[in-house]
Structures are given as structure tokens and as C-alpha cells.
Amino acid sequence: MIKIKSKEEIELMRQSALVVSKTLGVLASEVKPGVTTRYLDKLAEEHIRDLGAIPGFLGLYDFPNTLCMSPNSQVVHGIPNDKPLEDGDIISIDCGAKMNGFYGDHAYTFEVGEVAEETKKLLRITKESLYEGIRAFRAGNRVGDVGYAIQHYCESHGYGVVRELVGHGLGTEMHEDPEMPNYGKRGRGKKFKEGMVVAIEPMINLGTHKIKQLKDGWTILTLDGKPSAHFEHDVAIVNGKPELLSTFSYIYEALGITSDEEAAFRQTSIQEK
Ligand code: MG
Ligand code: MG
């Protein structure tokens, strides 16, 4: 069952999303060669708690950490460890937080040092596909419209769209209805309505879309060992249109990147708590 959120609930969800946005911003200045994912995980946990929230993933389905940290050929659900990041790596960081009873959940794939051109392009296209998907998340459209937009964009670049893992409704539960696949057919699936909130999260592989799972029961990797990228935003339907609750602006500030990619999805200014 899809749980529609009131205007007030959407504002609370914006605050939860912003906890994650700010945490990813703190991590952005720390991601570099020599740093371990376990260090970044601890940093994120402290920051989330300092903001008056609790980590959203820690203990969820028994996940052992605050962040899912998935380097290189890992798609999602990687577990932080003591292996230092290396120059040329990419690292997908997925972060969740819960505050006022609502979850925020979003993700960004970072470059570590100097990354190969074909990998940089994978990151750029995956992020662009996220916005292609968000554009299709509007009242009257359907789940398949978002999936189609992401799939069409990524496959036109020859990339593999992961099938087994999907985006999702978001609210008082981390995973609510509807499921939001990154593939699909236009005009198919559940219809979007005012007040829906979802996490849209393309997981896109440089090579095959096929994946495998490590024996740890969590880590998902590409079957061919090629890199995978993951970008995620929390989005609400307000006045029939997509409105971003999360933002990459803290990341861009930390990295010195100028971007207007989110401007089209801001109907109201971000309200600081
Ligand atoms: Mg996530
Ligand atoms: Mg998610």
C-alpha cells in the first residue's frame, strides 16, 4: 500500500533527507587515497547523531554499519572495512538517517584521486539518468515511466542496468511501496499521486547488468568485475511535480563543483532547521 504524505510530513522528510545530504557533504572532503571506509563510516555515524538523528541502516535487516560503502565493481550494500581507498578507485556511499520518525536515504558515487575517463563517464551518465528518472516522477505518470527513462538513457550509452535491486517508497519505513525499478515500460505500473515520496536510485554497470553476491550475505558486485555507479535522491510529488528533498549541494560545496542540476526540482527553498 502506498502511503501518501501530508505537506507537514513532507517537510519533516526534507529535514531527514538533509541530515543525509549534510553527512555526505562531510564525507566528500574526506574521500581520498589512504582513507578507510571504516573511518568514513564512524565519521558519518557521529555526524548523524550530532544532527539529532539516528543512522538509518545500522541494524536495519541486521546491517552492521551506518554506511553502505561499495568500491569499484561493488554495486551496493558493501560493508565498511580497513582496506584503504586507492588512487583511481570509485566509491559509492549510500547513507540513511531517521529523524522525527521519518527516513532520509540517498547516495553518491565519489572519485578517489584520478579516475579513468571511461569510469568518469559512467558516473556522469548514471547521475544524469537519475534526473531523467526524477523528471518522469510526476502526478499521473506511472512507475514504468521512471524506469523507462533511466533504462533508455543508460542503455543508449551501452551500460548495464541492474534489475535485482530497485528504488522504493520512503517514509516511516525505509522501504515502502511502490518499488521503483530502474527499467520498465512507459505507462505501466502504479500511478503517481500528489504526496508520494520515493527514493530513485539508478545502479548502473559499465559492462553487463548481471550481478552476484558475496558470501557475507550483503555485498553485491558486477558479474564481470567492471565498475558500477549509484546515485540516489529522495523526491516528493508537490503540486503534481517532482520536488527534491535531498541535495548534493553539500557535496559540491566540499568538492568545489558548480552545478545547477537540481534547480529544476526546487519549488521551495531549502529550509534550514
Ligand atoms: Mg540508499
Ligand atoms: Mg534507497
Side-chain angles (χ1 to χ4, degrees):
M1 191 191 71
I2 295 172
K3 293 190 214 158
I4 297 296
K5 277 78 182 179
S6 68
K7 284 249 162 38
E8 293 72 23
E9 288 172 325
I10 287 173
E11 285 315 305
L12 289 176
M13 292 197 69
R14 191 194 307 278
Q15 298 304 329
S16 303
L18 278 179
V19 169
V20 177
S21 303
K22 289 174 181 174
T23 303
L24 290 174
V26 167
L27 297 174
S29 21
E30 298 285 332
V31 169
K32 49 184 113 126
V35 166
T36 69
T37 49
R38 195 187 305 281
Y39 165 75
L40 296 171
D41 184 70
K42 284 286 159 242
L43 198 64
E45 179 173 359
E46 283 170 23
H47 192 72
I48 288 168
R49 295 192 191 281
D50 283 350
L51 292 173
I54 57 169
F57 299 158
L58 185 63
L60 185 73
Y61 315 118
D62 292 329
F63 188 76
N65 290 87
T66 292
L67 301 174
C68 294
M69 305 282 277
S70 311
N72 303 323
S73 66
Q74 294 188 10
V75 179
V76 285
H77 301 168
I79 297 175
N81 61 27
D82 294 318
K83 186 175 180 294
L85 295 173
E86 292 178 19
D87 187 47
D89 283 350
I90 53 169
I91 178 83
S92 298
I93 304 183
D94 196 351
C95 181
K98 193 176 194 186
M99 195 167 67
N100 300 315
F102 287 96
Y103 281 101
D105 167 28
H106 61 108
Y108 195 90
T109 301
F110 295 88
E111 299 175 14
V112 184
E114 201 47 50
V115 169
E117 277 307 320
E118 68 167 1
T119 310
K120 275 184 204 271
K121 186 182 168 198
L122 172 71
L123 302 193
R124 178 171 60 80
I125 298 299
T126 303
K127 181 144 64 75
E128 288 172 2
S129 82
L130 168 60
Y131 293 109
E132 292 293 317
I134 291 170
R135 251 185 284 284
F137 181 59
R138 45 199 317 130
N141 273 8
R142 292 176 183 271
V143 165
D145 293 310
V146 170
Y148 173 85
I150 293 169
Q151 180 182 18
H152 180 73
Y153 193 72
C154 292
E155 288 184 350
S156 74
H157 290 275
Y159 297 146
V161 177
V162 173
R163 305 294 201 273
E164 292 85 347
L165 298 135
V166 297
H168 49 92
L170 186 71
T172 55
E173 305 289 333
M174 173 66 78
H175 297 115
E176 298 186 355
D177 281 340
E179 286 196 342
M180 297 287 294
N182 298 305
Y183 57 92
K185 293 195 165 68
R186 280 189 279 198
R188 300 281 182 86
K190 289 180 180 161
K191 197 185 256 191
F192 300 135
K193 294 192 179 111
E194 184 76 11
M196 279 180 64
V197 181
V198 299
I200 299 178
E201 49 179 314
M203 291 156 255
I204 307 299
N205 301 344
L206 185 64
T208 178
H209 67 82
K210 291 184 181 159
I211 56 163
K212 59 185 177 182
Q213 189 170 35
L214 283 187
K215 287 202 180 71
D216 63 16
W218 284 106
T219 312
I220 304 289
L221 305 95
T222 59
L223 192 63
D224 59 10
K226 291 185 178 174
S228 182
H230 180 210
F231 290 86
E232 179 178 23
H233 265 313
D234 300 337
V235 198
I237 295 182
V238 177
N239 301 323
K241 294 183 290 192
E243 175 157 326
L244 281 183
L245 302 183
S246 52
T247 175
F248 295 147
S249 62
Y250 297 95
I251 294 172
Y252 293 155
E253 201 181 311
L255 299 179
I257 293 171
T258 308
S259 169
D260 61 356
E261 70 193 23
E262 297 180 358
F265 309 109
R266 296 258 174 243
Q267 300 176 57
T268 54
S269 60
I270 296 172
Q271 291 159 15
E272 291 288 337
K273 201 179 176 186

